[in-house]
Amino acid sequence: MQRRFPAGRAGPRWPLADGAAALVVIAVFWLPAVFAAGSWPRAALGAALAVVTAACMMLRHRLPAAATTAAAAATVAAGLLGVCEDPMLATAWCLYALARGRAARISGGVIALVCVFALLLAVTGVDSGGPGGRRVLLAAAALTAAWLLGTAVGREMESAREAERARVQLDVAREVHDVVGHALGVISAQASVVCSLPDADEPELRATLGDIESHAREALHEIQALVRGLRNPAPAEGGPGLAGRVPSIAELSPMIDDARAAGLTVDAHLGAVPGAGDGTRLVVFRIVQEALNNVLRHAPGARCSVRVSQADEEIRVWIRDHGSSVPGAGTGSGLGLRGMRERATLAGGTVSWRRPAGGGFEVSARLPVAGRR
């Protein structure tokens, strides 16, 4: 399990790194100059500025702008008093956190200008004949490197966050499409079947309305579970997905019964899949669900076959319909098929579909037993 931290916040290892860096900077660049101050007022003031600088280095993730400003002011003041020899390393340490947190708001032109400055600094430098010149050169190099590195890391982190947001949006789109689409498809098909019966009596109508209510309630529960999953995401990768509970292969039987009640003639063979992982079971369930839903929408009244079996370490899913018995059945947008392929790819498997020569539509999938997600 990998714990994630909000943008701009430090992970558990950062306090140790900040403390070690502050200890090195203070011990190497501050303490010798403080001890050699010559008078206790200057030494006391230098010690106080050293404490401020160390505190800034420790607080750079919580207050990056304030920490950078305070560290720079303390270092400059101590340098003017002669109680510090730090070439702005403490300020650069804080500047890295500031640049990383604000990288998304930094334009490419500014980054290019700083890169040019860094190149000129490396090529020409400054007059480093004395200690002051060398310190200025080191300070400029440290600040530039910290800013560029922080900006690069920050942009990479922002890209990763954007990719994660896009992945979650795609997962939500698939779940909503499969859950709501299936429920509405079954409801529509059942209502259509009842409407086509001119002599339907009250018990049949009540039974159909009860089934419609049941499907609507089930879809509502799944959407609520999806929302809960978004609010409280599972910490471990490879879990059951956004909707939380993973349906078992046995739960395909009630779904197939619903398809039969909606007017399909379904020949089903659901073999055992021992050892199937949560991710694989969810993909199998969703593929069969979406395939049956497509038959209900685009080939109402069709004769359909469903096969789920396991061979060695591979699970095979096969759904075939033989064409609609209702004239004028239409075609869909292809989003469901695309969702099948995305789910199978994430699980380490494949999905293919075709229109057989005898008519109808066929979907087949091969998935690893353990799955990859």
Side-chain angles (χ1 to χ4, degrees):
M1 183 177 79
Q2 181 181 7
R3 186 177 178 185
R4 295 177 181 175
F5 295 87
R9 297 295 299 273
R13 296 183 180 179
W14 278 113
L16 296 177
D18 291 340
L23 182 62
V24 170
V25 169
I26 298 302
V28 174
F29 298 104
W30 286 75
L31 290 184
V34 170
F35 289 145
S39 63
W40 71 265
R42 288 177 59 204
L45 185 56
L49 292 173
V51 171
V52 171
T53 302
C56 291
M57 295 178 70
M58 295 292 294
L59 295 174
R60 64 175 183 146
H61 289 288
R62 293 183 179 275
L63 303 168
T68 303
T69 303
T75 302
V76 171
L80 293 176
L81 291 173
V83 292
C84 170
E85 297 179 354
D86 179 15
M88 304 298 285
L89 294 182
T91 305
W93 187 260
C94 299
L95 181 62
Y96 168 84
L98 178 63
R100 193 186 71 173
R102 300 188 178 184
R105 288 172 281 180
I106 299 174
S107 65
V110 174
I111 296 176
L113 288 177
V114 175
C115 289
V116 171
F117 173 76
L119 181 61
L120 292 176
L121 184 67
V123 173
T124 62
V126 298
D127 183 9
S128 58
R134 285 194 296 269
R135 188 180 302 177
V136 171
L137 176 61
L138 289 175
L143 293 174
T144 304
W147 191 87
L148 289 174
L149 181 60
T151 301
V153 172
R155 291 201 161 203
E156 183 178 355
M157 293 172 61
E158 183 63 25
S159 298
R161 284 191 290 267
E162 288 292 337
E164 177 66 12
R165 281 193 287 267
R167 186 195 66 79
V168 171
Q169 289 176 351
L170 185 59
D171 287 348
V172 171
R174 279 196 300 265
E175 291 291 339
V176 171
H177 177 276
D178 292 349
V179 172
V180 177
H182 176 73
L184 293 180
V186 172
I187 289 173
S188 175
Q190 287 183 327
S192 176
V193 168
V194 173
C195 289
S196 66
L197 299 176
D199 56 347
D201 54 15
E202 183 176 344
E204 288 179 313
L205 294 176
R206 288 185 178 275
T208 301
L209 289 175
D211 289 340
I212 289 174
E213 179 187 9
S214 175
H215 288 303
R217 187 184 301 112
E218 182 179 351
L220 179 60
H221 288 333
E222 291 198 50
I223 291 298
Q224 290 173 340
L226 174 62
V227 173
R228 286 194 297 270
L230 289 172
R231 290 182 178 274
N232 303 290
E237 296 180 2
L242 291 173
R245 188 185 69 85
V246 177
S248 65
I249 301 301
E251 293 180 60
L252 289 174
S253 294
M255 183 196 304
I256 292 172
D257 291 338
D258 292 336
R260 288 171 177 151
L264 297 182
T265 301
V266 184
D267 173 28
H269 176 76
L270 306 178
V273 287
D278 286 348
T280 299
R281 286 192 288 118
L282 180 62
V283 173
V284 171
F285 187 89
R286 292 304 190 203
I287 287 177
V288 175
Q289 182 185 57
E290 178 60 24
L292 288 176
N293 188 41
N294 285 340
V295 177
L296 285 172
R297 286 185 297 172
H298 311 310
R303 183 165 53 89
C304 181
S305 300
V306 177
R307 300 285 186 271
V308 177
S309 61
Q310 179 175 336
D312 298 327
E313 295 300 313
E314 183 180 74
I315 296 176
R316 298 177 181 177
V317 182
W318 182 78
I319 306 98
R320 160 80 190 273
D321 72 80
H322 298 273
S324 175
S325 61
V326 178
T331 59
S333 62
L335 292 177
L337 296 175
R338 190 187 313 168
M340 288 185 195
R341 176 166 289 169
E342 291 169 352
R343 288 184 183 277
T345 301
L346 290 172
T350 59
V351 169
S352 60
W353 51 82
R354 68 187 184 96
R355 296 187 180 276
F361 199 78
E362 178 182 296
V363 175
S364 60
R366 293 173 177 263
L367 304 164
V369 172
R372 197 169 60 193
R373 184 181 176 188

